[in-house]
Amino acid sequence: MTSCNHDAVIQTARDALQAKQSALVHGLYAWDPQYDRMLREDECRRQTALVNAGYAVRVACTVETVRSFLKFHSDSQKQVVILGAGLDVLGLWASLFAETVVVEIDLPSVAKEKTDMIKTKHSQLFAVSSNYPMRSSYRIKKSGKDNFHVVAADLNDVEALDLEMEKCLDRMLPTLVVSELVLAYLDEPVGQLLAWCKSSLCQHDQSVMFA
């Protein structure tokens, strides 16, 4: 995303969030009680029936994949890394599972709006524990553990990304890497990013990537 229009990227993130909220509010699908409560926005703009249906299926597949991974490793530490996380609450929801660390990655403009959203809409659950130029870390208030991180980075710059991930990720733990259509938006060939995901994020033999 080296030469991307950041305004267009943030608008895409907002549109995707509204489409998911529309699918939920208008009764097309209920994915998970906690996820639904965190996502719901009753004043969201209604989407067409086709858009609602498409996002309902997309969210159902993603939520179920994350939930299955977390339940499979329910008695041990694990991690979820979300590439191009946008403004969705998926990572926040996943971080509520026991023994789970979540790292979201997106461009600085999106990451800034995400951190603002957490402060205004999810402060009852999460508190900021630290702020760095490229990373904001949060703790769940009930547990007191720093287990949710928002990394502001360009997915095309894997060297800079790798250095930042070193600070909040244990590469030896089972890790689920989630890429919800983000590969289609990258300016550069995705081979380098995929190779980095395999070599850096999926070192444990029970790690997996969902794209």
Side-chain angles (χ1 to χ4, degrees):
M1 291 182 253
T2 305
S3 61
C4 72
N5 182 324
H6 283 246
D7 290 339
V9 171
I10 192 64
Q11 189 58 51
T12 297
R14 292 169 182 160
D15 290 344
L17 177 63
Q18 288 185 351
K20 293 173 182 179
Q21 291 169 336
S22 175
L24 173 65
V25 169
H26 295 101
L28 198 61
Y29 211 95
W31 299 291
D32 174 274
Q34 181 67 50
Y35 177 89
D36 295 351
R37 282 193 295 271
M38 297 173 75
L39 177 68
R40 180 174 289 275
E41 185 68 59
D42 290 330
E43 300 302 319
C44 69
R45 185 177 72 246
R46 181 163 189 161
Q47 308 292 317
T48 65
L50 183 60
V51 170
N52 279 341
Y55 271 91
V57 173
R58 175 172 157 180
V59 174
C61 292
T62 306
V63 168
E64 186 55 36
T65 296
V66 175
R67 178 166 43 205
S68 296
F69 176 83
L70 297 177
K71 286 188 174 181
F72 184 81
H73 296 284
S74 60
D75 297 326
S76 59
Q77 292 181 305
K78 61 274 185 188
Q79 301 167 142
V80 178
V81 178
I82 305 177
L83 308 180
L87 302 176
D88 192 12
V89 299
L90 179 69
L92 292 167
W93 166 76
S95 71
L96 297 176
F97 284 72
E99 301 295 324
T100 302
V101 170
V102 176
V103 182
E104 294 191 348
I105 306 168
D106 216 315
L107 288 170
S109 56
V110 181
K112 172 64 168 58
E113 186 149 336
K114 184 63 165 284
T115 57
D116 290 343
M117 184 187 79
I118 294 171
K119 292 175 187 176
T120 58
K121 294 187 177 182
H122 304 291
S123 59
Q124 74 279 14
L125 289 175
F126 299 91
V128 177
S129 56
S130 57
N131 270 312
Y132 301 95
M134 287 182 63
R135 174 169 49 91
S136 297
S137 298
Y138 297 83
R139 58 180 172 82
I140 299 174
K141 289 185 175 180
K142 287 185 177 180
S143 70
K145 296 181 180 179
D146 292 357
N147 70 325
F148 181 77
H149 309 275
V150 178
V151 174
D154 188 334
L155 289 172
N156 288 312
D157 188 356
V158 295
E159 290 188 14
L161 186 55
D162 196 61
L163 290 173
E164 196 61 35
M165 296 295 280
E166 187 73 35
K167 303 169 186 175
C168 55
L169 204 68
D170 185 340
R171 301 175 195 269
M172 294 297 105
L173 290 180
T175 302
L176 171 65
V177 181
V178 178
S179 173
E180 190 182 336
L181 291 182
V182 70
L183 300 181
Y185 292 98
L186 294 179
D187 293 337
E188 306 296 331
V190 299
Q192 185 179 16
L193 176 63
L194 293 175
W196 174 75
C197 289
K198 179 181 178 182
S199 63
S200 184
L201 304 183
C202 297
Q203 294 186 17
H204 192 280
D205 59 8
Q206 291 184 344
S207 294
V208 64
M209 183 170 185
F210 173 77

